[in-house]
Amino acid sequence: MESYALLLASTLNAGTVLALAALGLLINEKAGIVNLGAEGIMLCSAIAGFAAVVHSGNDWVGFAAGMAAGGLLAAAFGLLVIWLNANQYATGLALSLFGAGFSAFAGIRYVQEKLPERPSFAIPLLGDIPFIGPALFRQHPLVYLAIALTIGLIWFLYRSRAGLVLRSVGESPESAHALGYSVRRIRLAAVVAGGALCGLSGAYIAVVYTPLWVEGMVAGKGWIALALTTFATWRPVRVLLGAYLFGGVTMLQFHLQGQGVEVPSEFLNMLPYLATIVVLALISRNPAWIRINMPASLGKPFHPGS
């Protein structure tokens, strides 16, 4: 039972990484912007957050640094694709490549660095309940923040006026512009907010998930988060559940290895990526379902003068 409790706890931990990034990308795509640079943003934010904790000794300073780095890179991406009308897909790929190279260069001196002793977290009383306590109530605060963020995003998108405006910009920017809304500024704000969440995810990887710095340590999680938005049909609750699903698949490989299951490690390592491909292939069998849920102007540039 203890091993299963640890598996569930590690699933929530791994899922939080994907959930934070995917929720940020969801905000981007609800505004009509596709950001393929999530992997690069997360890598740069990971080294920014790790370096901040090394020098300050405070995890929350690291999270703030990661969010700032993510927001800054996303702002640069937004200026290129929203104001200068650069191709969203090409610019996103360039950002991803830039992030991989820059983070490797900036992180050279931090490869051997160690973070201060990691604190342990537990909700009083609840954390002592057998099985449930270790599985659910001894998590880092950001695990619970990801759940609260999902609930808040649902309210924002479907219950607030600002959320309605954001969705209208993603569905029909021409109509929103005709009503007097600044489509470009709204899209830029959404891109920066999404980038900050991707940055928080990257910092979480380097500070909590695997508290060290290694080149390329994000290891494709940005791409999985990008796929999650489609898998979840742009719904926040489905994004969260999908993140936990993929997190569970990621942690399952370690659980099986710990149980002595005779499966090649290479096969276990590819499970998360194989699951991503299978899910996307299954969803793609019904294009109409994707079109119904996808923001109508996703990936399309907007020209106010046209």
Side-chain angles (χ1 to χ4, degrees), residues 219-220 223-224 227 231 245-246 249-250 252-253 263-283:
W223 299 109
I224 294 177
F231 164 69
L245 172 63
F246 284 104
V249 172
T250 302
L252 182 62
Q253 59 179 303
V263 179
S265 60
E266 292 80 7
F267 176 78
L268 295 175
N269 290 335
M270 76 178 188
L271 276 179
Y273 312 102
L274 179 63
T276 303
I277 294 171
V278 170
V279 167
L280 289 177
L282 291 175
I283 291 176

Side-chain angles (χ1 to χ4, degrees), residues 88-146:
Q88 294 183 22
Y89 302 97
T91 306
L93 288 172
L95 177 58
S96 189
L97 294 172
F98 167 80
F102 179 80
S103 62
F105 171 76
I108 291 175
R109 61 160 295 192
Y110 294 99
V111 172
Q112 301 297 330
E113 292 283 354
K114 294 184 179 180
L115 297 181
E117 185 178 351
R118 302 289 80 204
S120 59
F121 297 94
I123 299 177
L125 299 180
L126 295 177
D128 298 326
I129 301 175
F131 184 78
I132 298 177
L136 302 179
F137 301 117
R138 296 182 187 176
Q139 300 286 348
H140 191 278
L142 281 186
V143 173
Y144 308 115
L145 178 64

Side-chain angles (χ1 to χ4, degrees), residues 33-220:
I33 300 295
V34 177
N35 186 355
L36 299 184
E39 183 83 1
I41 290 175
M42 291 172 68
L43 280 167
C44 289
S45 299
I47 183 56
F50 185 83
V53 176
V54 167
H55 294 293
S56 70
N58 189 308
D59 288 5
W60 298 99
V61 173
F63 296 142
M67 293 183 71
L72 182 63
L73 288 172
F77 168 82
L79 289 173
L80 288 172
V81 302
I82 297 171
W83 261 271
L84 300 181
N85 295 319
N87 182 277
Q88 294 183 22
Y89 302 97
T91 306
L93 288 172
L95 177 58
S96 189
L97 294 172
F98 167 80
F102 179 80
S103 62
F105 171 76
I108 291 175
R109 61 160 295 192
Y110 294 99
V111 172
Q112 301 297 330
E113 292 283 354
K114 294 184 179 180
L115 297 181
E117 185 178 351
R118 302 289 80 204
S120 59
F121 297 94
I123 299 177
L125 299 180
L126 295 177
D128 298 326
I129 301 175
F131 184 78
I132 298 177
L136 302 179
F137 301 117
R138 296 182 187 176
Q139 300 286 348
H140 191 278
L142 281 186
V143 173
Y144 308 115
L145 178 64
I147 299 172
L149 180 64
T150 302
I151 297 172
L153 191 58
I154 293 171
W155 176 85
F156 173 76
L157 289 174
Y158 303 106
R159 293 290 185 269
S160 71
R161 180 180 179 83
L164 176 62
V165 172
L166 178 68
R167 288 190 293 125
S168 69
V169 166
E171 293 292 341
S172 178
E174 293 80 9
S175 299
H177 178 70
L179 291 173
Y181 294 107
S182 179
V183 172
R184 285 180 165 177
R185 290 181 180 178
I186 293 170
R187 282 187 163 181
L188 181 62
V191 167
V192 172
L197 285 178
C198 287
L200 179 59
S201 176
Y204 184 85
I205 292 175
V207 176
V208 178
Y209 184 66
T210 52
L212 49 81
W213 167 253
V214 177
E215 180 182 341
M217 66 184 303
V218 174

